Amino acid sequence: MQTPKKVGVLGAGTMGAEIALCFSVAGASVVLKDVELALAEKGKARLAKVVDKAVEKGRFPAEERDAVLDRIVPTGDYEPMADADLVVEAVFEKIELKKAILSEADQVCKPECVLATNTSSIPITLLSTAVSEARRPRFVGAHFFAPAFVMKLVEVIPGLETSDETVDVVMEACRQIKKNPILVKDTAGFVVNRMLFALFNEAVRLVDEGVASCEDIDTGCRLGLGHPLGPFALMDMADLEMALDVSNLLKDAHGDRFRFGTALKQRVYAGHRGKRFGRGWYAYDKKD
């Protein structure tokens, strides 16, 4: 299978924009949508910095820079992706928000278009209820990892009604954009986040119990386990509110082993949500 000739991405935040970049690098024409054109344009503007950094490090050919960026067209409307072969939803990890966006896209996309959700934790069959029965065989989970332009893994998750053909199409599309897809059963949290949030959860418990500071726990994970980042630094890079939301979803699905401790809840309540907000487990310069 060739890379889809035209791809739509719903959500121009960091994740959505970098997913768009992955397909553009592979030669696809990409429509990058957000609720407003200005937000989609802002997402594309961030990609110029990502590509320039890759060029500086010798990871991307400078002569291809402009063509790759030119293939990404920002928009505030669904209509430009009406003829897309593949559409990937990559909005915030909120069930009702995702369902609303997926329902709107379903009504615009051509019948043969594959509609994928980049959810990191929400069951695919649950989200499939947002689209028409006719679309459900062509609805699938495709969980990219941040930063999507760099990270190689994609979890491909079929829902109850997803066809084998759709799974094959998305697995091959991932390979065509130089990713390594793994096939995962439809269960809350899938594979990686179930393991990761077990680590997060235990790390927060250790802080709650006064066993060690978040700084020392992060150092222990980096130097003792070989992780590039400790769990607290990683939560700060994402969003502590997102971590709490996902943990609650996992707790509902898999039990109290995913119940987060008091220290995380207090930070979320206080608005200390991570690096983008200037403060999380650590304090940051907001210019970072």
Side-chain angles (χ1 to χ4, degrees):
M1 173 193 164
Q2 298 296 316
T3 304
K5 293 182 179 180
K6 186 170 184 178
V7 175
V9 178
L10 306 171
T14 301
M15 179 61 76
E18 291 203 17
I19 291 171
L21 182 59
C22 292
F23 282 101
S24 179
V25 167
S29 172
V30 184
V31 177
L32 180 60
K33 183 195 177 300
D34 214 305
V35 291
E36 297 177 359
L37 175 59
L39 291 174
E41 290 174 335
K42 184 177 179 180
K44 180 178 177 178
R46 285 195 299 269
L47 293 181
K49 298 178 181 178
V50 173
V51 174
D52 288 343
K53 186 175 181 179
V55 169
E56 289 174 13
K57 293 185 175 182
R59 297 174 179 172
F60 192 79
E63 62 272 16
E64 294 182 19
R65 174 195 184 277
D66 291 345
V68 164
L69 293 173
D70 287 346
R71 284 195 289 269
I72 300 172
V73 179
T75 182
D77 301 314
Y78 289 98
E79 287 302 326
M81 62 183 67
D83 59 344
D85 305 302
L86 170 67
V87 170
V88 181
E89 169 271 310
V91 302
F92 295 118
E93 194 74 353
K94 302 283 188 181
I95 293 175
E96 293 310 316
L97 173 62
K98 283 184 177 289
K99 289 176 73 172
I101 297 296
L102 290 166
S103 177
E104 291 169 355
D106 176 41
Q107 296 174 47
V108 174
C109 294
K110 63 185 181 182
E112 59 269 32
C113 175
V114 170
L115 184 55
T117 172
N118 182 53
T119 178
S120 64
S121 59
I122 304 168
I124 305 307
T125 303
L126 172 60
L127 292 177
S128 75
T129 61
V131 304
S132 65
E133 291 186 9
R135 178 77 61 188
R136 290 176 191 175
R138 287 178 295 282
F139 181 77
V140 68
H143 176 210
F144 289 74
F145 288 76
F149 187 54
V150 175
M151 298 291 279
K152 296 299 185 183
L153 182 66
V154 180
E155 292 178 316
V156 176
I157 313 105
L160 180 64
E161 299 178 68
T162 306
S163 70
D164 291 343
E165 179 185 5
T166 294
V167 172
D168 291 343
V169 164
V170 173
M171 295 282 280
E172 184 58 26
C174 289
R175 296 185 187 103
Q176 292 292 330
I177 62 172
K178 310 298 184 185
K179 301 301 182 188
N180 296 105
I182 61 173
L183 185 61
V184 178
K185 182 180 177 180
D186 186 20
T187 180
F190 315 129
V191 168
V192 173
N193 267 348
R194 280 183 64 174
M195 294 188 293
L196 179 62
F197 275 77
L199 173 65
F200 284 171
N201 203 8
E202 191 60 26
V204 175
R205 281 200 195 99
L206 289 169
V207 168
D208 276 349
E209 295 169 8
V211 174
S213 67
C214 58
E215 293 88 349
D216 284 345
I217 293 168
D218 275 357
T219 298
C221 284
R222 287 188 290 104
L223 302 184
L225 299 177
H227 294 187
L229 286 175
F232 296 100
L234 187 54
M235 279 187 271
D236 274 359
M237 281 188 62
D239 182 333
L240 268 63
E241 184 176 62
M242 180 276 293
L244 186 59
D245 287 345
V246 172
S247 182
N248 285 331
L249 187 150
L250 291 172
K251 176 176 65 67
D252 290 344
H254 305 298
D256 276 356
R257 69 183 187 271
F258 288 104
R259 185 189 297 276
F260 259 118
T262 302
L264 175 73
K265 293 179 181 178
Q266 287 178 333
R267 281 164 174 76
V268 173
Y269 296 158
H272 301 172
R273 290 173 50 186
K275 190 171 183 178
R276 289 187 295 119
F277 301 90
R279 191 169 180 182
W281 296 104
Y282 301 103
Y284 301 90
D285 182 342
K286 286 194 176 182
K287 294 180 181 179
D288 288 348

